[in-house]
Amino acid sequence: ATAETLFSISKTFYDQLEAIKQKLLTLLNIIKSMDKIKIWAKAIQDYEGYYPPGEKFAIGSRSWRNRNPGNLKASNYVKGDLGAIGVDEKNFAVFETYEKGFWALNQFLKDAAQKKLRSYHILPNGQEYDCTLLQFFNLYAPSSDHNEPNAYCLYVAKKIGVDPTTKIKDLV
């Protein structure tokens, strides 16, 4: 084999390796973003208090009873797109299983971060904005519903390993 042939073969091999490397990096980025969403969802579940029946709650916490680890409120989106099967007396969604409720919370977070939910990227005056984690919790768990969005945000931000001013679009 001539030097030119060997060079051509090695260049082709190198190009194929480079293409594989790029595909692996893309896949790794997808996996990393899935992990952030899952950690974000788990932190919300912890903060919401997902407890089975026991000392703390005789009949289990609301999120446990409703199989709704994020305590998502019922809406057409939550019922239609996220698969809630019912609503409790306080307008929290009910899911068929914990797995379906946890999937719904993950999907809700992805949709909010990817600007698919109007409230999380368009202000009441119609201006578009990049929602921060703190702004997210001011909408997701407003103080008008007897929540503490600042404390909620700080808890979740610490669990995810980001600053409260992180744009939620950067979590996917």
Side-chain angles (χ1 to χ4, degrees), residues 5-169:
T5 303
L6 288 175
F7 176 77
S8 176
I9 292 170
S10 62
K11 172 136 178 45
T12 302
F13 182 69
Y14 175 80
D15 290 345
Q16 289 172 343
L17 281 178
E18 192 60 34
I20 292 169
K21 175 184 161 190
Q22 291 306 316
K23 288 178 183 177
L24 286 173
L25 287 172
T26 300
L27 186 58
L28 182 61
N29 285 332
I30 290 169
I31 291 168
K32 283 180 182 177
S33 71
M34 288 172 31
D35 288 345
K36 277 188 185 172
I37 294 289
K38 189 173 182 179
I39 293 166
W40 186 5
K42 279 289 193 188
I44 287 174
Q45 174 182 302
D46 292 348
Y47 196 88
E48 288 292 335
Y50 187 86
Y51 301 112
E55 276 184 39
K56 199 162 190 161
F57 295 94
I59 59 172
S61 63
R62 175 183 307 279
S63 60
W64 184 85
R65 292 190 312 272
N66 292 342
R67 296 164 301 281
N68 180 355
N71 271 334
L72 295 171
K73 293 279 194 161
S75 67
N76 289 336
Y77 163 73
V78 172
K79 290 186 262 182
D81 294 334
L82 302 185
I85 60 167
V87 179
D88 76 4
E89 70 283 356
K90 298 278 188 176
N91 200 39
F92 288 96
V94 176
F95 292 93
E96 187 177 350
T97 64
Y98 164 81
E99 291 76 18
K100 289 180 179 182
F102 190 70
W103 175 87
L105 175 56
N106 278 266
Q107 191 61 48
F108 180 92
L109 298 175
K110 284 180 201 169
D111 287 350
Q114 294 174 339
K115 297 187 175 189
K116 294 179 182 175
L117 301 179
R118 182 177 176 82
S119 300
Y120 296 96
H121 75 100
I122 297 181
L123 295 170
N125 68 7
Q127 180 182 351
E128 190 160 336
Y129 74 106
D130 287 329
C131 186
T132 66
L133 198 59
L134 181 56
Q135 289 168 319
F136 172 86
F137 282 106
N138 278 310
L139 293 167
Y140 183 81
S143 54
S144 60
D145 285 352
H146 308 289
N147 293 300
E148 296 179 24
N150 289 341
Y152 203 151
C153 178
L154 289 171
Y155 178 86
V156 172
K158 184 177 180 182
K159 290 280 188 174
I160 302 172
V162 299
D163 188 82
T165 60
T166 297
K167 308 282 188 210
I168 64 172
K169 71 179 185 177

